[in-house]
């Protein structure tokens, strides 16, 4: 566990204690008078210090769930809380990393200034800001790139910058949506190992969405598989693979293959195809709704 402390310096849950709770979450989108129920009665939790991967078929509502968790989209039912406090707006304990690093970094700012941006709200002494930026860049192996611009870096390096920016903020929980989908296989392995290192060095909690079932098994302490429409938790699997993980040895374990096959079959049997009753309910009074 790191001695770096948390973002706020306030008392945080200890490793293994409940950090994030999603209780009966529901989310619908309404368009042209039609309501589509995307998420229905979804319940799971993440404990401090855990790496939890969320997997599910394309279109099932994984990004929608993260947007609700991050306070970016209002939920339509249920409750979400972090550190016991209800989530209504972007929680300061959270940092997000998305797949599209090219849009999340500011191209007109150097790497260092990109990292500095979210720290402005924390009103930290300049010496602390500098220490955090240097620590975060060192953690992702980019100390040498502080003065470069994002467009001067490779895709994998840019995604490291996005991760470093989240690290410098020192969130209690790092939320990642398909963060490595746009990089080559070797870089992907490196970035996966970086996530595990961050958890170990910073004691950070990670909730990560991925399409890659092997990646989910490699990274996770637990996998939460979601499916159906509206989406529910199909199963939570404890990934009982030994730590520390290693790209070659861990992936060669018979237990790795068992967990991968089990998760894959769950996903394959639970596509996001709508069930006739749940898909589209007319919103009373909305234009185009049946009388
Ligand atoms: N703002 C929106 N308004 C209306 N419908 C939306 C909106 N955002 C997403 N949806 C719909 O919600 C459903 C779930 O989308 P979402 O992006 O959450 O899926 P996902 O599980 O992240 O998929 P993928 O694995 O392909 O990224 C899709 O049918 C999508 O069309
Ligand atoms: Mg998505």
């Amino acid at each position: 566990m790191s001695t770096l402390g948390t973002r706020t310096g306030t008392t945080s849950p200890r490793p293994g204690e409940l950090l994030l709770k999603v209780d009966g979450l529901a989310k619908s989108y309404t368009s042209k008078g039609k309501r589509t129920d995307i998420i229905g009665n979804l319940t799971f939790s993440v404990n401090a210090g855990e790496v939890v991967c969320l997997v599910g078929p394309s279109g099932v509502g994984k990004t929608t769930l993260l947007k609700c968790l991050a306070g970016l989209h209002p939920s339509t039912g249920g409750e979400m809380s972090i550190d016991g406090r209800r989530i209504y707006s972007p929680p300061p304990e959270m940092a997000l990393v998305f797949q599209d690093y090219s849009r999340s970094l500011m191209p007109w700012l150097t790497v260092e200034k990109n990292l500095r941006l979210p720290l402005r709200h924390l009103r930290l002494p300049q010496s602390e800001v500098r220490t955090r930026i240097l620590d975060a860049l060192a953690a992702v192996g980019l100390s040498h790139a502080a003065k470069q611009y994002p467009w001067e870096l490779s895709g994998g390096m840019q995604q490291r910058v996005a991760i470093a920016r989240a690290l410098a903020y020192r969130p209690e929980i790092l939320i990642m949506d398909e963060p490595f989908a746009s990089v080559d296989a070797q870089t992907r392995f490196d970035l996966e190992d970086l996530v595990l290192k961050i958890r170990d060095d910073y004691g950070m909690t990670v909730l990560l969405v991925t399409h890659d079932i092997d990646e989910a098994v490699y990274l996770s302490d637990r996998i939460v598989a979601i499916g159906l429409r509206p989406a529910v938790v199909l199963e939570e699997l404890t990934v009982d693979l030994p730590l520390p993980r290693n790209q070659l040895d861990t992936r060669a374990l018979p237990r790795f293959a068992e967990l991968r096959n089990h998760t894959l079959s769950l996903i394959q049997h639970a596509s996001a195809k709508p069930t006739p009753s749940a898909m589209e309910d007319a919103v009373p009074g909305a234009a185009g709704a049946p009388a």
Side-chain angles (χ1 to χ4, degrees), residues 28-51:
S28 309
Y29 288 117
T30 301
S31 174
K32 296 180 185 158
K34 296 284 183 190
R35 193 185 82 204
T36 307
D37 296 327
I38 305 295
I39 296 172
N41 202 12
L42 196 88
T43 297
F44 70 98
S45 59
V46 180
N47 295 328
E50 267 191 314
V51 176

Side-chain angles (χ1 to χ4, degrees), residues 234-246:
L234 301 170
E235 195 171 316
E236 290 189 31
L237 289 94
T238 299
V239 177
D240 50 0
L241 296 171
L243 295 169
R245 309 250 164 103
N246 168 305

Side-chain angles (χ1 to χ4, degrees), residues 29 38 56-65 73 177-178 211 229:
Y29 288 117
I38 305 295
S58 182
V60 77
K62 302 180 296 295
T63 297
T64 299
L65 167 62
H73 281 188
D177 191 2
E178 294 282 353
H211 275 120
R229 175 161 293 179

Side-chain angles (χ1 to χ4, degrees), residues 31 155 167 171 193 203-204 248 271:
S31 174
L167 281 183
D193 287 332
M204 201 172 280
L248 288 177
S271 77

